[in-house]
Amino acid sequence: MILIFATHNAHKVEELTQLLPYNINLYSLTDIECFKEIEETGSTLEENAKIKADFIRMKYGLDCFADDSGLEIEALDGAPGVYSARYAGSQKNNEDNIQKVWKELKGIKNPKACFRSVFHVHLGNREYQIQGRIEGTISFEKKGTNGFGYDPIFIPEGYQNTFAELGEEIKNKIGHRAKATLELIEILNYFAAT
Ligand code: ITT
């Protein structure tokens, strides 16, 4: 089956391509030549995931899903959260975002955080919303070169290394998007069987 992943983020596409079964033909927004920046005007991950998925469903009428994800830091009342991509400004710069996290967390030891991912899914005339999360802590040193975004400063619970050091094999097992994807696969199986 053909499924559109409503994202411009190549890292997310790479993760999902590795996680979904071979019978799902995953197409990104680039693949379908949709270069529009869909405005994320919601105030929650749930709202933004729906905005992105609804846009593609309305415009193309295809089965699709969107992911809105973010880093939620306990000591910052859940920030950067839904604003993770543009925490330090509309330039959406990873380095600036990380610097801002460190500035806001100054003096706090082993700050607790989680990554959360919300998928909004359109299949036929059905709609679903699912999520995945992974708990961890923030590192005050950037470590590792894999992944993207806040991966070099996020240490998942039960590990000593950042996601950027642990690499895709581990992230694809325990990560927030990997967990949401497991649920997506269940929904796809159910949809195919009914
Ligand atoms: P799309 O909206 O096109 O999917 P995006 O990168 O703008 O791509 P989001 O709106 O979901 O994605 O913003 C998520 C931001 O949260 C992202 O830019 C990263 O800074 C951060 N983030 C989300 N998942 C992450 C992950 O697995 N590893 C590191 N940072 C992540």
Side-chain angles (χ1 to χ4, degrees):
M1 97 177 260
I2 290 176
L3 188 62
I4 312 299
F5 185 10
T7 184
H8 289 294
N9 183 322
H11 295 277
K12 290 185 182 180
V13 179
E14 175 66 24
E15 277 184 24
L16 266 288
T17 303
Q18 292 187 16
L19 290 164
L20 285 171
Y22 69 93
N23 60 334
I24 304 295
N25 290 318
L26 193 70
Y27 289 91
S28 70
L29 294 184
T30 311
D31 294 329
I32 62 168
E33 298 186 351
C34 172
F35 300 110
K36 186 179 162 46
E37 187 72 39
I38 305 165
E39 263 197 80
E40 298 181 27
T41 51
S43 56
T44 61
L45 297 178
E46 284 76 5
E47 282 172 19
N48 280 344
K50 180 167 166 53
I51 288 169
K52 291 188 269 190
D54 285 358
F55 178 86
I56 295 306
R57 179 71 190 176
M58 294 272 284
K59 186 160 168 152
Y60 298 92
L62 296 167
D63 288 337
C64 63
F65 71 100
D67 158 66
D68 205 47
S69 44
L71 177 71
E72 298 178 343
I73 302 176
E74 196 178 281
L76 303 181
D77 295 327
V82 70
Y83 304 109
S84 291
R86 51 205 146 113
Y87 191 40
S90 54
Q91 74 278 16
K92 295 187 176 177
N93 181 285
N94 286 330
E95 183 59 36
D96 295 350
N97 289 338
I98 288 173
Q99 292 297 336
K100 181 161 180 194
V101 164
W102 285 340
K103 195 170 148 223
E104 300 290 330
L105 285 175
K106 214 168 172 192
I108 297 174
K109 286 215 172 97
N110 296 322
K112 282 191 187 165
C114 79
F115 269 128
R116 201 160 70 84
S117 165
V118 175
F119 286 7
H120 194 92
V121 189
H122 281 281
L123 290 175
N125 52 15
R126 299 182 211 166
E127 258 180 271
Y128 305 88
Q129 199 158 76
I130 52 187
Q131 66 162 305
R133 65 188 287 147
I134 169 82
E135 308 291 333
T137 53
I138 298 296
S139 161
F140 284 98
E141 201 187 322
K142 270 175 79 178
K143 291 187 212 152
T145 52
N146 295 292
F148 69 102
Y150 298 92
D151 281 343
I153 63 162
F154 182 81
I155 302 173
E157 206 168 70
Y159 292 82
Q160 307 294 329
N161 299 97
T162 67
F163 259 160
E165 291 176 299
L166 292 168
E168 64 185 29
E169 206 183 317
I170 305 268
K171 190 176 177 194
N172 284 350
K173 276 199 189 113
I174 65 167
H176 44 308
R177 247 181 318 281
K179 287 177 181 162
T181 304
L182 279 182
E183 277 204 51
L184 175 62
I185 292 169
E186 272 188 34
I187 289 171
L188 289 169
N189 287 337
Y190 175 77
F191 183 72
T194 54

